Amino acid sequence: MTDVDLAAEKYEKHREAGEILAQVRNEAADRLEVGTGYLEISEWAEDRIRELGGEPAFPVNVSVDHEAAHGAAGPDDDRTVGEQMVKLDIGVHIDGWLADTAVTVDLSGNDELKTAADEALAAALETIEAGVETGEVGAAIEDAIDGYGYNPVVNLTGHGLGHWEQHTEPNVPNRSIPGGATLEAGQVVAIEPFATTGTGKVNEGAAEEIYSLEREGSVRNREARQALDQITEEFKTLPFAARWLDVSRPGMALRRLKQQDIVHGYPVLQEAEGELVSQREHTIIVTEDGCEVTTRLD
């Protein structure tokens, strides 16, 4: 991968998305405290992204305690953050070119679990360069988390980022595996360790506030058609929130679209034993001799 290649327009848009996202992530984390509303912090961060020139790549995830991912505010959500371990997972895109980042804000008094995820991410970034197998990255993550006496969440992974695609190859495990995919220069990848006081597996909960387009289709119901038009034109294949839909009854419209397998939902992912989970995430561009972190402020 030459310097000219890495200066291509798509990488500049990835970098611009990352710069906006790093600023919003830090500002949102600073604003989070006991009593902050889920909807309040989510809408603030999403509006701030737009103010800085980007678009949200997916609804802000506010996942607490045993929730690992996909916690999100619904329309008129009145929940507030308590003395909890809070994960903020935020994404930005510029013309469909993505950045994805997450941070744990610990209000529960379990700082060491937060530190384990932070250190696991740092260890992973040190291993990355073109030619490295993802199993080696996973081993670095697992070793760092194990060093604190916790377990990695093994059925969640880091992932590639494509054009209008939040999850692409390669998957980057959070534990040691034999081999794995070989990283290539120019790949844009989200490295995403999760640490837990539990055994290290998540399952699906009942709550669901995030959706994405599964396939194109047609529906008779007028509101569902209006919602589908907005989804295909504005969000394309990226995840979206019910509260983003410009229809009077978004819940009904989504139910119609789900019944026909036109959209699918993302249930909250929670630690199988109800144990605490921490998370940290950066987006990187793989280079021949390392990586460029797009979501880290200088």
Side-chain angles (χ1 to χ4, degrees):
M1 180 64 60
T2 68
D3 291 341
V4 173
D5 293 327
L6 284 174
E9 182 180 6
K10 76 172 188 177
Y11 291 111
E12 288 307 309
K13 290 182 177 180
H14 279 299
R15 292 181 179 108
E16 184 181 352
E19 184 176 349
I20 291 169
L21 184 52
Q23 181 173 340
V24 173
R25 177 200 60 224
N26 289 3
E27 291 176 356
D30 286 344
R31 295 174 70 91
L32 196 67
E33 60 186 11
V34 173
T36 300
Y38 282 43
L39 188 59
E40 172 193 351
I41 194 66
S42 300
E43 291 187 334
W44 181 89
E46 291 159 6
D47 288 345
R48 183 69 171 136
I49 288 167
R50 298 183 185 102
E51 180 183 316
L52 293 173
E55 288 291 334
F58 52 84
V60 170
N61 286 206
V62 183
S63 306
V64 302
D65 287 348
H66 67 291
E67 297 170 347
H70 301 166
D76 303 317
D77 201 317
D78 62 358
R79 290 176 296 169
T80 59
V81 170
E83 293 180 350
Q84 296 169 304
M85 178 160 283
V86 186
K87 282 75 68 180
L88 292 177
D89 196 340
I90 312 174
V92 169
H93 78 87
I94 303 291
D95 298 331
W97 302 105
L98 299 163
D100 188 356
T101 193
V103 64
T104 296
V105 179
D106 180 48
L107 305 173
S108 69
N110 290 277
D111 288 347
E112 198 168 74
L113 184 61
K114 172 189 181 300
T115 302
D118 293 343
E119 292 296 324
L121 178 59
L125 296 181
E126 289 180 2
T127 70
I128 292 173
E129 63 182 9
V132 168
E133 293 179 328
T134 54
E136 183 179 338
V137 182
I141 290 171
E142 184 173 25
D143 286 348
I145 293 172
D146 183 67
Y148 281 89
Y150 304 119
N151 290 311
V153 174
V154 298
N155 58 337
L156 291 176
T157 68
H159 51 90
L161 295 167
H163 192 214
W164 295 105
E165 292 183 281
Q166 191 200 353
H167 284 256
T168 66
E169 296 295 329
N171 289 326
V172 181
N174 286 320
R175 59 173 174 144
S176 177
I177 63 168
T182 300
L183 295 175
E184 300 175 7
Q187 286 180 320
V188 180
V189 183
I191 308 297
E192 189 172 12
F194 293 83
T196 180
T197 56
T199 57
K201 289 192 176 180
V202 296
N203 54 27
E204 292 184 350
E208 188 177 86
E209 292 291 348
I210 303 173
Y211 307 86
S212 69
L213 184 68
E214 181 75 21
R215 63 175 182 86
E216 294 185 7
S218 60
V219 287
R220 291 184 178 181
N221 179 267
R222 182 178 60 84
E223 283 214 343
R225 281 202 311 272
Q226 290 176 344
L228 182 57
D229 286 344
Q230 181 184 1
I231 292 164
T232 54
E233 291 173 15
E234 187 175 341
F235 314 131
K236 297 182 171 54
T237 54
L238 293 177
F240 63 90
R243 58 188 169 82
W244 290 359
L245 296 178
D246 299 326
V247 295
S248 59
R249 293 184 293 172
M252 183 277 294
L254 284 167
R255 282 193 298 274
R256 302 264 185 166
L257 294 172
K258 285 186 68 178
Q259 286 169 0
Q260 296 186 221
D261 297 323
I262 293 173
V263 303
H264 70 272
Y266 296 87
V268 172
L269 299 177
Q270 53 196 22
E271 208 282 326
E273 299 180 322
E275 293 287 331
L276 291 175
V277 179
S278 63
Q279 176 192 20
R280 192 73 167 93
E281 180 181 22
H282 272 313
T283 296
I284 58 114
I285 302 171
V286 180
T287 62
E288 291 290 356
D289 58 357
C291 66
E292 174 187 346
V293 181
T294 66
T295 50
R296 183 162 56 199
L297 291 177
D298 292 335

